[in-house]
Amino acid sequence: ISFVIYSVSLPNIYSSNALLKINDTKNENAFSNLASSYSGLASMVGVSLQNEPNSKTNIVIATINSRDFFQHLSSFKDVLPNLFAIKGYEEDTKRNVYDTNIYDPEKGGWQISKPSFMEVHIKYLEALSASADPETGFIYLSVDHLSPNFAFYLSELTIKEANNVLRSKQLEESIRAQDFLNLQLSKSSKIEVRQSITQLLEAQLQIQMLADVREDYILSPIDKAYLPLEESGPNRFKISFLGLLLGLGIGIFISLIKFYFTQKR
């Protein structure tokens, strides 16, 4: 009975899930292959010549879990309050319920000093899960939250901003490499060297073009996130069933002990 009461008292948890794939970046691979032929230029440009099949998947997951990325996410509206101060969700009014001692939107927001992104990062990692399938390389992203609306919002925001952050980083690296190559091109008079630098410049322009025109730069949804209509947890049946087994086991144990001492007397 106590387990049933406990399970009923637990708030509903909603999950918004997405299955993602890493986009093919043939132009980047082409640049690495070209750069590998000219190791001196490659090291000066800063190109990694190691070709690991799962490196991009690992980079994406590490980026999503990183504090720097969450610092970027925390600048968006309602991210910090919904991770740090939410208390429940009203299904009738479709409204998030906050701990008014911490955050009260009707009284202007934070009732305490606004938490730093470092304080909330732990709750972010508890709510969000990103893992990779070692065979396919697909990324499974899931957000569990008391509010279905925020679970959906955070999952979409994470995918969108992961693309934007990685796109910006790739563009910055490509522009620096392009500037370096242009400088070397102006210094060199050898035809062979100029031809090789020109090929590397063409590959960099292709990378920049791809980053500008592709909306889903590195992550594309195979099964995109949806607004959850039903709760995903807690599993009240399992909790109650566990309580039944535990109560039955304790009851049998107590009965055997009583029977033993009765027989002994």
Side-chain angles (χ1 to χ4, degrees):
I1 291 174
S2 62
F3 269 64
V4 170
I5 295 173
Y6 170 72
S7 67
V8 172
S9 67
L10 292 174
N12 292 332
I13 301 294
Y14 297 87
S15 298
S16 183
N17 309 316
L19 184 64
L20 311 165
K21 72 179 181 70
I22 300 293
N23 284 328
D24 186 20
T25 51
K26 292 180 180 178
N27 291 323
E28 294 176 42
N29 293 334
F31 177 74
S32 294
N33 292 334
L34 281 169
S36 64
S37 301
Y38 310 98
S39 57
L41 283 172
S43 60
M44 296 178 75
V45 173
V47 177
S48 174
L49 303 181
Q50 295 181 354
N51 218 355
E52 299 178 7
N54 294 324
S55 60
K56 283 192 176 295
T57 301
N58 295 334
I59 288 171
V60 169
I61 293 177
T63 298
I64 289 173
N65 290 329
S66 69
R67 287 170 293 194
D68 288 343
F69 180 71
F70 179 67
Q71 183 180 21
H72 173 70
L73 287 186
S74 65
S75 63
F76 287 84
K77 183 181 178 182
D78 295 335
V79 170
L80 290 181
N82 280 292
L83 287 173
F84 192 77
I86 193 165
K87 189 170 65 173
Y89 176 75
E90 292 182 353
E91 294 187 10
D92 296 336
T93 60
K94 309 295 183 185
R95 188 174 65 90
N96 295 350
V97 179
Y98 300 99
D99 184 343
T100 54
N101 293 322
I102 300 175
Y103 181 83
D104 191 344
E106 296 180 358
K107 293 183 179 179
W110 294 102
Q111 304 302 300
I112 59 172
S113 59
K114 183 179 178 180
S116 67
F117 78 93
M118 291 286 288
E119 294 178 81
V120 192
H121 181 248
I122 296 175
K123 293 184 179 293
Y124 166 75
L125 293 180
E126 291 174 354
L128 184 139
S129 172
S131 59
D133 187 320
E135 294 183 2
T136 63
F138 295 155
I139 295 176
Y140 179 77
L141 187 139
S142 175
V143 176
D144 298 330
H145 198 261
L146 296 175
S147 166
N149 296 323
F150 183 74
F152 174 60
Y153 171 74
L154 185 60
S155 59
E156 281 205 319
L157 181 67
T158 301
I159 297 168
K160 178 183 175 183
E161 292 308 312
N163 276 317
N164 289 337
V165 166
L166 292 169
R167 177 193 288 110
S168 298
K169 183 178 179 180
Q170 184 68 60
L171 274 173
E172 290 175 5
E173 292 178 354
S174 179
I175 291 171
R176 286 199 301 269
Q178 185 181 23
D179 292 340
F180 170 80
L181 291 170
N182 281 323
L183 180 62
Q184 297 304 311
L185 186 64
S186 64
K187 291 180 178 179
S188 178
S189 58
K190 293 183 179 180
I191 296 176
E192 296 83 0
V193 176
R194 292 179 66 87
Q195 286 177 343
S196 64
I197 293 176
T198 302
Q199 288 179 326
L200 292 171
L201 280 170
E202 289 176 357
Q204 284 298 334
L205 289 173
Q206 290 176 357
I207 292 172
Q208 293 173 27
M209 178 196 68
L210 187 65
D212 284 333
V213 302
R214 181 185 281 175
E215 183 177 354
D216 297 328
Y217 174 63
I218 195 167
L219 282 175
S220 287
I222 297 175
D223 187 11
K224 65 180 182 179
Y226 285 93
L227 179 68
L229 300 178
E230 296 181 356
E231 67 272 12
S232 60
N235 193 323
R236 294 180 174 86
F237 174 78
K238 284 187 177 180
I239 295 174
S240 302
F241 187 70
L242 177 63
L244 173 64
L245 293 180
L246 187 62
L248 187 63
I250 293 174
I252 292 174
F253 178 76
I254 292 173
S255 298
L256 289 174
I257 293 296
K258 289 178 67 177
F259 179 77
Y260 171 77
F261 283 107
T262 301
Q263 291 294 318
K264 190 173 181 180
R265 283 198 299 270

